[in-house]
Amino acid sequence: MDQQRSAAPQRPASRLAVGVVSAGRVGSVVGAALTRAGHRVVAASAVSDASRARAARHLPGAEILPAPDVAAAAELVLIAVPDDAIAPLVASLPVRPGQIWVHTSGALGADVLRSARDAGALTAALAPAMTFTGRDEDLERLAGISWAITGEAEARFVGEALVLEMGGDPEHVDEADRARYHAALVYAANHLQTLVNDAAEQLRAIGVANPQRLLSPLVSASLDNALRHGDAGLTGPVSRGDAGTVARHLDALAGTGIEDVYRTMARRTAERALASGRLKSADAEGLLEVLAQPEKEETP
């Protein structure tokens, strides 16, 4: 890998004129990161008032133009639009041979930029493994994160150079693996949000005034345990095979809307605990009986 990196094209070493299509939550922040790396965002498309405000805040030197004019003005075209819009948008924009075209979708590879590649551009998928909320801290969170890079050899090396310039860590992901890669990120990040917010809602319902403050140390420690120790960091009633406690949980959650989610996650936790040796088979029997999906009564 070191030999490959040393042989990478030096194209990004010369400062590039960047065009951002469009200045949404992701595009505006990645454009700002490229500016910090020494490139120049010369143009951006921004249709909504929110996008225009983000462009003014993060891309103050950029001229606000229609998307075709942004592409025409740029050496590096950054596509940051919803996944389903990328291919038809790129097919509608002007392309110059020698331009660099990248998009920020986590789920899609470089093939979605095929029309630009066929017109002579270098194309790569360049997706930051980060969540974007539209707040000012989004830019600071980019430091040191991983970026999934997909593309043919030269374009991949250029993408790697851009990521390194932005202070990121390149992670090469094959075209065929992009959906699975993105599913893993969504499973961890978005579903974690739902789990924590569901838990906070249950605490609020029983009178806890500030459930976020209560949960923060516990959830932070659990996340740290998972990232540091994997399945060895698992604690709680499922890892102990405490069927009685889990049964009481299910009774307490009946009618709340999350009983089935709790049951599903507890079963998956039990499977991982069994596979890792945290939960003994003898202790799992009663637990799995409790977690079995109850049979629905037949309607007469």
Side-chain angles (χ1 to χ4, degrees):
M1 178 62 71
D2 290 340
Q3 290 179 345
Q4 287 181 324
R5 289 184 181 181
S6 65
Q10 299 303 307
R11 186 185 299 263
S14 60
R15 301 303 87 186
L16 296 169
V18 180
V20 178
V21 184
S22 68
R25 292 181 179 182
V26 180
S28 60
V29 171
V30 176
L34 288 167
T35 299
R36 281 188 174 184
H39 302 288
R40 296 178 300 111
V41 179
V42 296
S45 65
V47 177
S48 68
D49 290 341
S51 292
R52 289 179 176 272
R54 278 190 290 265
R57 186 166 70 252
H58 292 301
L59 312 171
E63 187 177 2
I64 304 304
L65 298 172
D69 294 335
V70 173
E75 297 167 295
L76 168 61
V77 181
L78 175 69
I79 303 293
V81 298
D83 293 1
D84 290 346
I86 295 175
L89 173 65
V90 172
S92 72
L93 297 178
V95 181
R96 292 195 313 276
Q99 282 181 313
I100 303 166
W101 285 61
V102 302
H103 72 73
T104 59
S105 166
L108 300 174
D111 278 356
V112 74
L113 300 173
R114 186 182 301 110
S115 60
R117 184 182 65 216
D118 291 346
L122 286 177
T123 58
L126 212 68
M130 180 48 62
T131 181
F132 293 82
T133 64
R135 299 184 178 91
D136 289 341
E137 62 263 27
D138 288 348
L139 180 57
E140 305 310 319
R141 285 174 172 169
L142 286 185
I145 69 165
S146 295
W147 294 66
I149 300 176
T150 302
E152 296 180 353
E154 185 181 2
R156 190 172 69 243
F157 291 143
V158 169
E160 182 180 271
L162 290 169
V163 167
L164 291 171
E165 286 181 342
M166 289 186 286
D169 184 18
E171 186 73 41
H172 296 305
V173 178
D174 288 343
E175 184 81 30
D177 294 330
R178 292 289 296 208
R180 188 174 185 180
Y181 163 84
H182 192 239
L185 269 59
V186 168
Y187 189 84
N190 299 160
H191 296 178
L192 176 62
Q193 288 269 336
T194 300
L195 288 170
V196 171
N197 289 332
D198 277 348
E201 189 174 78
Q202 297 306 309
L203 294 172
R204 197 176 292 112
I206 62 170
V208 175
N210 192 338
Q212 289 82 2
R213 183 177 63 186
L214 186 154
L215 286 169
S216 180
L218 173 66
V219 174
S220 297
S222 295
L223 178 59
D224 185 63
N225 286 342
L227 294 175
R228 286 175 180 268
H229 309 298
D231 288 323
L234 181 63
T235 63
V238 172
S239 68
R240 298 191 297 267
D242 194 342
T245 295
V246 172
R248 285 188 287 275
H249 290 175
L250 291 170
D251 288 341
L253 294 173
T256 64
I258 67 168
E259 177 189 0
D260 289 342
V261 178
Y262 181 100
R263 189 188 307 275
T264 299
M265 290 302 299
R267 282 186 63 85
R268 182 61 185 143
T269 302
E271 291 168 357
R272 294 198 67 92
L274 276 167
S276 64
R278 298 288 292 174
L279 177 63
K280 300 294 185 284
S281 296
D283 297 328
E285 292 180 5
L287 176 67
L288 293 176
E289 288 180 8
V290 167
L291 292 173
Q293 196 69 31
E295 295 183 5
K296 294 183 180 180
E297 295 182 4
E298 294 185 5
T299 302

